Amino acid sequence: MAAQPPRPVGERSMGSPREAARAPARSPDWAPTQARTPGAALVGQRESPESGLQEHYSNLCMEKSQKINPFILRILQEVDEEIKKGLAAGITLNIAGNNRLVPVERVTGEDFWILSRILKNCLYINGLDVGYNLLSDVGAYYAAKLVQKQLNLIYLNLMFNDIGPEGGELIAKVLHEESTVHIGRMLKENHCLVVLHMCKHDIKNSGIQQLCDALYLNSSLRYLDVSCNKITHDGMVYLADVLKSNTTLEVIDLSFNRIENAGANYLSETLTSHNRSLKALSVVSNNIEGEGLVALSQSMKTNLTFSHIYIWGNKFDEATCVAYSDLIQMGRLKPDNTDVEPFVVDGRVYLAEVSNGLKKHYYWTSTSGESYDHSSNAGFALVPVGQQP
């Protein structure tokens, strides 16, 4: 984090990275054990400048049977002294392990657990430097929790702390706030919502993962629209997996993403072997080539529930054109249930676009005649919630 600490307590000098490298490696089994799992927070206690951080830290260590770290105790004492002088806001807590001006006992993940319990309610502390210590993934776990709880924190230094990929991932997850995080939480609790449109929402693979995680617990959603986002084939791993067990979703709109052949193959495998509830899928303009499109067409031969597919805007080779022409000619794919129509030139089959889709005319109303065409707005025909008669 690039912001300069606003008001450091105690000087620190930049030590060599090798100093931290010589520290013994922490155990990869970083998840809190029963002996170290934090219990309930002190009931009703909210730290204030008057109560004393040093005293609070000592008491909490005793309560949790955790060894007191004298370095932390010393720094908290300095903060208490600063507060007595009238400073009660904008404090950066400097507990860097490369401080050569005072005796240092480097902070471990377990030390940081206790420290984070104190700091989460200290609204007058908005910066924390715990670089060059031994936090490991244990400390990263509690740092992630602290970032979630302490909304005033604007500066956090965790450099040279033996944090591995798991700890780094935990911290990264709490720093992104895609809206799908909140939508996912809602889907886990809401069992009435039937249609969800999240087009043009800047959803990436982590976002579709959040939604898919929620869909394991949701039993009401029938129409999911995540068109016009930034989802790639990696995101289809999560969607294909949840579709193996989800029996509610009937319509999925993935138009204008970038799932490519790999993503189409993930979906095809699930639709062929597992899912028997999905009726309609749109993969319009997803940079899918022949192989992936053919795989989806094969799914329709074995999955009789899967009746609508929209593929325009991808890369059609001869095999793709023949596959969808065969589906239409044999009656398996009705002309109104897709956005392509076969034609033949010099003995070769091609596909032309037709004006069908899940919501082709969603933002358009005819000036004459019928204003609602089922083939152009098939998503609303299949899931007619809220549709005007």
Side-chain angles (χ1 to χ4, degrees):
M1 303 190 180
Q4 184 67 22
R7 199 184 295 269
V9 176
E11 291 184 321
R12 67 182 177 96
S13 59
M14 294 304 295
S16 168
R18 296 177 183 173
E19 185 179 352
R22 288 197 295 268
R26 304 294 297 172
S27 167
D29 185 15
W30 56 269
T33 61
Q34 287 186 350
R36 294 302 184 204
T37 300
L42 298 178
V43 179
Q45 182 166 350
R46 187 172 185 83
E47 188 60 37
S48 66
E50 291 77 20
S51 62
L53 291 177
Q54 182 185 19
E55 180 181 356
H56 188 192
Y57 172 71
S58 300
N59 291 340
L60 196 54
C61 285
M62 291 177 63
E63 179 187 330
K64 302 301 180 184
S65 301
Q66 173 68 29
K67 176 181 174 293
I68 292 177
N69 185 312
F71 181 41
I72 295 178
L73 196 66
R74 178 189 179 103
I75 298 299
L76 294 180
Q77 181 183 11
E78 293 181 8
V79 176
D80 287 339
E81 292 172 355
E82 290 289 332
I83 291 173
K84 289 178 182 178
K85 296 176 182 177
L87 174 64
I91 297 175
T92 291
L93 204 60
N94 190 334
I95 314 180
N98 64 337
N99 192 329
R100 297 180 179 177
L101 301 178
V102 296
V104 169
E105 181 177 324
R106 293 195 179 185
V107 179
T108 66
E110 290 77 12
D111 292 330
F112 193 81
W113 160 39
I114 299 295
L115 184 62
S116 66
R117 294 287 296 273
I118 297 172
L119 296 183
K120 69 179 182 180
N121 289 326
C122 292
L123 303 183
Y124 51 91
I125 293 180
N126 61 8
L128 177 61
D129 186 346
V130 285
Y132 296 91
N133 280 294
L134 303 172
L135 298 191
S136 73
D137 286 341
V138 179
Y141 173 83
Y142 292 112
K145 294 290 185 183
L146 180 62
V147 169
Q148 287 181 307
K149 299 286 187 180
Q150 228 289 27
L151 301 182
N152 283 2
L153 199 65
I154 62 172
Y155 174 81
L156 177 63
N157 187 347
L158 299 171
M159 66 189 300
F160 294 104
N161 261 292
D162 198 24
I163 297 175
E166 291 179 273
E169 184 178 359
L170 287 171
I171 295 171
K173 282 183 177 180
V174 302
L175 291 177
H176 76 264
E177 275 297 331
E178 288 190 20
S179 58
T180 49
V181 174
H182 309 290
I183 297 296
R185 291 173 182 167
M186 177 271 294
L187 287 175
K188 290 178 182 179
E189 304 296 331
N190 186 312
H191 298 288
C192 299
L193 189 69
V194 175
V195 178
L196 177 61
H197 292 280
M198 295 192 70
C199 53
K200 296 184 179 179
H201 232 69
D202 201 31
I203 299 174
K204 304 179 182 65
N205 293 327
S206 59
I208 195 68
Q209 180 183 8
Q210 294 282 346
L211 294 178
C212 290
D213 287 347
L215 289 174
Y216 286 104
L217 302 176
N218 183 279
S219 57
S220 64
L221 195 69
R222 295 170 57 195
Y223 186 161
L224 176 62
D225 178 6
V226 286
S227 59
C228 303
N229 283 294
K230 298 179 180 179
I231 305 169
T232 72
H233 57 84
D234 290 333
M236 292 303 97
V237 175
Y238 309 113
L239 183 58
D241 193 59
V242 75
L243 285 176
K244 292 177 181 179
S245 57
N246 182 285
T247 58
T248 308
L249 275 173
E250 298 178 12
V251 179
I252 298 179
D253 192 347
L254 292 166
S255 303
F256 304 101
N257 283 285
R258 197 174 181 84
I259 71 170
E260 302 179 305
N261 275 356
N265 286 330
Y266 291 138
L267 294 174
S268 173
E269 191 275 331
T270 292
L271 292 172
T272 299
S273 305
H274 301 279
N275 184 281
R276 289 297 181 270
S277 60
L278 192 73
K279 297 178 181 178
L281 174 68
S282 177
V283 291
V284 170
S285 297
N286 262 277
N287 201 36
I288 306 173
E289 299 181 1
E291 174 193 343
L293 295 171
V294 171
L296 288 172
S297 73
Q298 296 303 309
S299 299
M300 301 199 77
K301 292 183 178 180
T302 57
N303 186 341
L304 300 183
T305 307
F306 186 23
S307 58
H308 295 62
I309 187 166
Y310 305 93
I311 62 171
W312 187 257
N314 293 292
K315 300 177 181 179
F316 300 159
D317 59 6
E318 186 173 4
T320 300
C321 297
V322 171
Y324 285 87
S325 175
D326 289 347
L327 284 175
I328 293 172
Q329 289 184 6
M330 71 174 63
R332 177 63 191 88
L333 179 60
K334 295 182 179 180
D336 283 349
N337 295 354
T338 187
D339 58 349
V340 293
E341 180 181 58
F343 66 97
V344 179
V345 175
D346 295 334
R348 179 170 176 175
V349 180
Y350 296 90
L351 295 177
E353 182 184 17
V354 292
S355 188
N356 298 332
L358 291 180
K359 50 184 177 65
K360 192 79 173 181
H361 295 158
Y362 183 61
Y363 302 104
W364 170 87
T365 302
S366 175
T367 56
S368 61
E370 186 178 339
S371 61
Y372 177 65
D373 185 351
H374 288 305
S375 62
S376 297
N377 297 324
F380 305 107
L382 293 169
V383 184
V385 177
Q387 180 62 45
Q388 296 294 325

